[in-house]
Amino acid sequence: MLGHVSFGVKDLARAGVFYDAVLLPLGWIRLWDDPKGLGYGRPGEGEKLNLFPHADARPPGPGFHLAFDAPDQASVDAFHAAALAAGGTDRGAPGLRRAYSPTYYAAFVMDPDGHRLEAVHQ
């Protein structure tokens, strides 16, 4: 459905440390890296998330968040722990969200720039 998503970040190096850590448990890696940006995705599949430095970067407004598919519940747990260790903010600890569905296991965080992120296994 989507080709990729791009975020502006204030500090590219800081964002790289954060996204390297939180995306690894989900099977994503840094696919490209240069002073103008970073690209993340699964090996061999091309980038799905790009980060570009912008001094006035701001996250999208209320109602927006980016959800990543997780291969299992342990990956959701690891995503959440990595996010907090790398400077992210907790927005919802890992657990079942039965209001969404009986098998919706998710965690919610905010990156250092304020982008709202989710890892979910269903």
Side-chain angles (χ1 to χ4, degrees), residues 15-97:
V17 169
F18 178 84
Y19 282 93
D20 286 352
V22 302
L23 295 178
L24 187 60
L26 306 179
W28 289 38
I29 61 170
R30 189 184 297 195
L31 297 174
W32 62 268
D33 178 339
D34 69 40
K36 295 181 182 178
L38 307 173
Y40 291 90
R42 288 192 171 93
E45 295 183 13
E47 83 269 7
K48 296 297 179 186
L49 175 65
N50 297 313
L51 305 175
F52 298 105
H54 292 283
D56 60 347
R58 291 189 319 253
F64 178 88
H65 76 273
L66 181 59
F68 296 96
D69 283 330
D72 51 37
Q73 290 183 358
S75 298
V76 173
D77 297 346
F79 162 90
H80 187 262
L84 299 184
T89 304
D90 178 35
R91 301 279 294 177
L96 285 170
R97 303 306 199 269

